[in-house]
Amino acid sequence: MRIWLKYLIGIAIGLISALVFSPSTAQGQAVLDFIVEIAVRFGRYALLPVLFFSVSISFFKLRDEKLLTKASLWTFSVIFSSSFALMLLGLVSALAIKLPRIPITTEKASEASSFAWQTLITKLFPFSGFESLMDGAYLLPCFIFAGLAGAGAASDKNASKAAVGLFDSLSKVFYIVLSFFIEIFAVGMIAVMCRWTLDFISAVSSGVYNGLIIMLTADLFIVAFIIYPLILRFLCHEMHPYRVLYASICPFLVAFFSGDTNLALVLNLRHGKESLGIKRRINAFSFPLFSIFGRGGAALIQAAGFVLILRSYSSLGIPVLDVLWI
């Protein structure tokens, strides 16, 4: 049975379970949250080993073939341009469509989280490179450490021949382990979908965000069925763009219902190799970077949400200069 079909069955069972056996007590909600957390941890269990050894081999091969700079420029160019385009789509949608205002509430606002550059930099370069292999949530330190190991091996191929062979073998072994966890996680999608359905029903029942949800759904269809196929057809010269999108159904479903980029990366690594035929050195290089830096969807929603909130709490229009600031 195809993987996406297994996941679709799990999603259907989770949807039915949420509608029929909805937990009505706080204890039931806590149990469901615990099951979802265990399922997500299970799905991401083998990601870090695969990422470290595969990225190391990827850097080794790309540097040896003098393609590292080209691959980096292409990857970051697509990440930046796609994020900017999606942000622009969200901004234009929110400006063109006047959504219903969000009513003012008396709820106490949660404490605003702050972003500290010092914390980010210290995480990127811990006291020991091996510490980067301990954090399964923030993948950039592991990516950097693995990249340095692979690039260093390419500088002296004779001295690193044994290490490269070991890393290549371990990469393939842990990929097999990753594939096993991917197959089993289809069962975990039942709990993930159940949790998502309950949250969605709660959001829709209030009626406050229905207009925003409808607009974002329309943006999703525009991007998935119009913009992406056109890009694949005319820029990538792909004669069958919808086949590429069909091959990405499973990662899309997992990303949409779980909201976990690392979990979606697990599926992307496998589908990139087996469904899309992407070479391993590019697959292990570009997909992690997209997972870490590619935040086009978040940029789209933040831009649209900012305009909606601004219009909800102010009767003044939004001049062009303010649009540029947004």
Side-chain angles (χ1 to χ4, degrees):
M1 185 184 293
R2 295 182 181 273
I3 298 177
W4 69 267
L5 188 56
K6 293 180 181 179
Y7 277 68
L8 200 60
I9 293 174
I11 289 171
I13 295 175
L15 176 62
I16 296 172
S17 301
L19 297 176
V20 178
F21 307 106
S22 177
S24 57
T25 63
Q27 185 178 3
Q29 296 279 356
V31 171
L32 178 60
D33 291 340
F34 174 75
I35 295 174
V36 171
E37 183 179 357
I38 293 298
V40 172
R41 287 173 178 263
F42 183 87
R44 290 165 47 173
Y45 185 78
L47 174 60
L48 216 58
V50 172
L51 187 68
F52 176 75
F53 293 112
S54 299
V55 170
S56 298
I57 295 299
S58 176
F59 267 79
F60 172 80
K61 292 184 176 180
L62 288 174
R63 187 178 179 187
D64 184 50
E65 298 172 3
K66 296 180 173 56
L67 293 174
L68 184 58
T69 302
K70 182 179 180 180
S72 301
L73 290 175
W74 269 105
T75 301
F76 281 104
S77 296
V78 174
I79 288 174
F80 176 81
S81 58
S82 61
S83 299
F84 182 80
L86 289 174
M87 178 276 299
L88 195 61
L89 175 62
L91 185 60
V92 171
S93 300
L95 291 172
I97 303 173
K98 194 169 184 180
L99 298 172
R101 293 190 176 191
I102 298 176
I104 298 176
T105 63
T106 58
E107 295 180 5
K108 184 179 180 181
S110 59
E111 183 179 353
S113 58
S114 60
F115 182 80
W117 286 98
Q118 298 88 343
T119 304
L120 175 64
I121 295 174
T122 53
K123 281 188 175 182
L124 291 180
F125 301 100
F127 288 108
S128 171
F130 291 105
E131 291 184 28
S132 63
L133 306 179
M134 305 300 293
D135 190 352
Y138 187 41
L139 301 180
L140 186 56
C142 176
F143 185 89
I144 293 175
F145 184 45
L148 292 174
S155 63
D156 192 343
K157 289 187 286 185
N158 290 328
S160 61
K161 186 176 181 180
V164 170
L166 176 63
F167 275 37
D168 187 44
S169 178
L170 288 173
S171 172
K172 294 176 181 178
V173 169
F174 281 113
Y175 179 81
I176 295 173
V177 176
L178 183 77
S179 299
F180 167 76
F181 279 96
I182 288 175
E183 296 285 347
I184 302 301
F185 184 70
V187 179
M189 282 301 296
I190 297 175
V192 172
M193 183 60 190
C194 186
R195 173 77 277 168
W196 184 90
T197 303
L198 295 176
D199 291 340
F200 183 75
I201 292 175
S202 176
V204 172
S205 60
S206 65
V208 176
Y209 305 104
N210 290 356
L212 179 63
I213 292 173
I214 293 172
M215 188 193 75
L216 293 177
T217 303
D219 286 340
L220 169 64
F221 280 96
I222 291 172
V223 171
F225 295 105
I226 298 177
I227 296 178
Y228 281 174
L230 290 175
I231 292 175
L232 289 170
R233 177 64 183 87
F234 294 104
L235 294 183
C236 303
H237 307 290
E238 172 60 50
M239 299 304 296
H240 305 285
Y242 287 102
R243 289 185 181 179
V244 177
L245 298 176
Y246 169 74
S248 305
I249 286 179
C250 195
F252 168 78
L253 293 175
V254 172
F256 185 83
F257 292 115
S258 70
D260 192 307
T261 56
N262 291 353
L263 194 57
L265 176 60
V266 172
L267 276 298
N268 275 320
L269 289 174
R270 179 170 179 178
H271 281 269
K273 176 185 177 182
E274 299 181 9
S275 300
L276 298 175
I278 302 174
K279 293 181 179 180
R280 187 170 57 145
R281 59 179 178 270
I282 297 298
N283 192 53
F285 178 81
S286 294
F287 272 124
L289 288 177
F290 270 97
S291 179
I292 296 168
F293 295 107
R295 292 292 181 269
L300 185 154
I301 293 176
Q302 287 177 354
F306 190 91
V307 172
L308 175 59
I309 293 172
L310 188 61
R311 282 178 169 174
S312 298
Y313 289 87
S314 173
S315 58
L316 301 176
I318 304 177
V320 176
L321 186 60
D322 290 345
V323 173
L324 295 177
W325 276 113
I326 295 173

